[in-house]
Every structure is written in structure tokens, then in C-alpha cells.
Amino acid sequence: MGETFVIIGGDAAGMSAASKAKRDDPDLEVVVFEKGEWVSYAACGMPYYVKGAIDELDDLVAVTPEAFVEERDVDLRTGHEVVAIEPDERLVTVDVDGDRFDQPYDRLLIATGASAVTPPFDGVDLDGVFTIHDMDEADAIDDYVAAHAPDSAAIVGGGYVGVEMAEALSARGLSVSLFEMLPHVLQPFGEAVADEVEDHLESEGVDLHLNTAVDGFEGDRRVERVHLEDGTVAADVAIVGVGVAPNVDLATAAGIELGPTGAIATDEYGRTNVADVFAAGDCAEATHVVTGEPDHVPLALTANRAGRAIGQTIAGSPTQVGEIAGTAIVKAFELGAARTGIVDDEAAREAGFDPVSVTITASTRAHYYPGAEELVVTLVADRESEQVLGGTVVGREGAKRIDTVVTALHAGATVPELESLDLAYAPPFSPVWDPVLTAAKVLRGKLEAGERR
């Protein structure tokens, strides 16, 4: 009988690992335990389902449970919660509606994901107060808006979820107030992006409350108001999107080490400190390509890529999970904003660099070609080595140009090397000097001016 590969968690990392391991080694027994009913779903699409751009929640499912079982020969068991890991015995304990059994494993993958952080607000248990981190929550929000026809919405948190849900609920006809305790929305994207996005949100009717901490919610059974230090704001529905925390309780109880970020520490192959136990996805750390240090950036590609690599390793072909750059992109009504690497001067200094940055505005197409839009590009580099450290872009089109900067980071490119890239040009797609090349050219000039001084 072949080995048994057990996976805890049935979303991106877990199901990518299951599929790849089974494809590469058909004799391998692959068992996946998922405590919920949804597997292999696109969490990033949930705000667009609430908006109404996606007709059915099932449309967000990449592969159905039935397909995993019948077509991919994976022993997938939904409604099964793993409640303990016993590394010495190589067992996991599984709970099914109060009944428990032990499942042996030869190799184990922990892909338990992350959970939405819910601050200890007063009134957080009122009807109409939601987080949105899984499919059932997205469905509940959609049902609530349809059933109660709220007039006003409060979004607590100005990150990805907050910005996307502001658009979604505005599209449903609600007046939206967004509360962020920091000076800007989209804090990891830097000030240049935040300024553009904030102006655009306000132009779309979103009432921004920056530098504003929420104390809680008020209402009679249902939420009616957001309570602030200096008063209240009406809200018939509220979305709390202040971040996520890795689900690590199972791991820590089993003696599996966490890293400095609070997520599970792993090596370049996704292995933990416990023999034959791997971790991947939103519960695990990864290595940052610029700093070489552990980081925790819970995003979809990181999870899928790491899961697939671990599946390949389990099947007999050791494969590194790959480094991350913290690359992210978000839609804010008509704007796209993206970031990668280190974009904050303070963070760059903490990592041992001497940052130099520029922000430029350039056209996304030849100036004479219809439809050209302005794109704001920021690039950051190290003064001494001229290594590209990171960048951001924001505009009505062209946000995917961030991928050029991502490629430079993974290649360890310098600013002159980035400037010298032979990027595609035709008037409908770009000016002769692509905005990223223009930013690199300006940044090189700034670096050279510093040398002359």
C-alpha cells in the first residue's frame, strides 16, 4: 500500500497540493479534511459577488468537491474538522458532528488559512455586522442587503477588503462611510497611491473618515449606528475588515514553531520544524525576495504556488515554494492600484537599505492615441547598490504594469537594468517610454545626482 498524504484545509494551498501530488503519484493516498463545505474557492471574488458582478456564489468555485473525488481521485471530506495533530504517533484527530476518529499520515500539510480579525467592539454581535473572509459570510451579506434594503453602510478598515466592499455596497445603492484609524487607506501601498485612491473614493460618494477609530456599534438587535469618540454615524449594515490572523492553534499545540510574524515557520520547501509536516498558504510564512527574511503576506498566488510545490515534493520531486514580494493589486471603483516589494522608506531602512525614491506621472498610451490615462508610478531603490527595492502604480488603466517591477525584484535588478528593459511599444498600449521605464530613468538620474554631490 502507498503512503498517505493528509492535508488539513481544502482551499488554495491544500487543494493545489492535493491535485499536484495525486497527479504526479497516482498511487499516493491523498486525504483532505475541510471543516466547512466550500473548497477551492476564489475568496478574492467575494466582494464582486456582493456587488452583483458575479451572478452565483458557486461561480467562485474553481473545482467542485465532486470533481476532486470523482475526477482527481482525492479523498476529500468536507464537514471534517481536525482538532489535534500528534506528530509522534503521526496521527490527526478528526471531529465530525461530535464524533472523533484518528487518521494516520506519512506526510502532513497544514493549510488552515487565516481568519478575519474581529476587534472587541461593543455591538459587534448585532445583526447586520459582518466580516467577509469566507463564502458563507459573503452569502450572508448578500442575503442581508437583499432582505433589509439598507440605506447606509459602514466599512471599518481601509485595506483591500474595505476599499472593495465600499465599491460593492455603493453599487447596491447604499451610501457608504469608510473608517480608517490610520492617516491613509491602503497603508501598504504608500502615500502616492493612497492620495489618488482617497480622492477617487470621495468623488464616487464614499464618506471617508481617516485618523478615526471606531468604538463600536449601536442598535436595537440590528446595527443602526457606528459609535465614534466624538459621536455617531448612521449605518444599517457594517463590514469589519481590519485584517486577518493566521490559524495556528493546531500547529502550536503540536509543537510546531511559529516565525517572527506569528505564522508557521517554514523552510524553502515548506517544511516545518517537525519531521514530515509541511505548512502553506495563509497560515504560513514565506521568504521575502528583497530582504531574504520571513514575511507573512496572505494572498492567493502565494498559497496556490506553495501548495503546488509541496504536492510536487511529496510526489518525489523536491520543489521550492518560491519567494514572495508582497505583490498586490486592488480595484477601487474606476482606479487600479498595485504594489510590490518595499515601498516605505522606514521599512527599507529597517531592512538595512538607504532608500531613494521617485514618483512620476505618465501616460498609459501614446499621447495622441484615444483613451490614454495618467498612471502614477513610484519606484524605490537602494542608494549604494542601485538595487530596485519596490514600487507602486495607480491609475484608471495600467495597474498590471506592476508586474514589470516584480520581475525586476525577482531578478535582483538595478535601476539602470530596469531602465534598459526592452518593453513592448505600440500607441494603443504604451508610449515609447513605458511609465515604468520613465520612472526608472528619473530614479537613475536622482541616484547619479546623489553620487555627484
Side-chain angles (χ1 to χ4, degrees), residues 94-288:
V94 186
D95 184 283
V96 188
D97 296 328
D99 295 326
R100 295 191 173 189
F101 67 91
D102 290 333
Q103 167 68 50
Y105 68 82
D106 294 291
R107 259 88 64 88
L108 176 70
L109 170 60
I110 302 172
T112 47
S115 296
V117 173
T118 304
F121 292 144
D122 290 337
V124 74
D125 56 348
L126 288 169
D127 287 348
V129 179
F130 300 94
T131 58
I132 178 167
H133 192 65
D134 64 38
M135 298 279 269
D136 290 332
E137 291 169 332
D139 208 23
I141 294 169
D142 181 64
D143 287 347
Y144 191 89
V145 172
H148 298 290
D151 294 320
S152 58
I155 310 253
V156 182
Y160 314 117
V161 169
V163 169
E164 291 169 345
M165 287 303 295
E167 177 182 343
L169 293 179
S170 291
R172 297 284 290 266
L174 282 72
S175 63
V176 175
S177 298
L178 190 152
F179 302 88
E180 171 55 60
M181 65 184 300
L182 298 174
H184 290 291
V185 301
L186 296 179
Q187 183 272 334
F189 289 66
E191 191 170 341
V193 169
D195 287 341
E196 296 289 326
V197 171
E198 287 161 8
D199 287 346
H200 187 60
L201 290 175
E202 290 182 323
S203 75
E204 293 287 345
V206 176
D207 186 14
L208 285 183
H209 299 258
L210 304 176
N211 288 302
T212 302
V214 168
D215 289 340
F217 305 102
E218 299 175 351
D220 181 11
R221 290 176 298 177
R222 289 184 197 161
V223 64
E224 298 172 12
R225 295 172 297 279
V226 179
H227 185 252
L228 310 173
E229 184 179 0
D230 58 354
T232 62
V233 175
D236 302 320
V237 64
I239 312 295
V240 179
V242 297
V244 300
N247 295 326
V248 297
D249 289 349
L250 267 178
T252 54
I256 295 167
E257 292 179 357
L258 306 184
T261 70
I264 299 171
T266 60
D267 69 5
E268 65 270 29
Y269 292 94
R271 296 176 296 210
T272 71
N273 65 301
V274 173
D276 294 320
V277 177
F278 297 73
D282 292 358
C283 64
E285 291 183 336
T287 300
H288 197 284

Side-chain angles (χ1 to χ4, degrees), residues 288-290 325 340-342 387-391 404-413:
H288 197 284
V289 69
V290 177
T340 191
I342 302 176
Q387 176 188 351
V388 180
L389 302 180
T404 304
V405 185
V406 177
T407 303
L409 297 184
H410 280 275

Side-chain angles (χ1 to χ4, degrees), residues 348-367:
R349 293 188 186 97
E350 289 176 357
F353 299 105
D354 182 7
V356 180
S357 63
V358 296
T359 298
I360 63 102
T361 301
S363 176
T364 57
R365 308 181 188 186
H367 69 277

Side-chain angles (χ1 to χ4, degrees), residues 6-7 16 46 69 117 132 145 178 204 211 234-235 254 262 272 305 309 370 399 434 441 444:
V6 171
I7 299 168
S16 292
M46 293 188 301
V69 174
V117 173
I132 178 167
V145 172
L178 190 152
E204 293 287 345
N211 288 302
T272 71
R305 189 180 59 177
D434 184 89
K441 181 168 55 174
R444 179 177 57 81

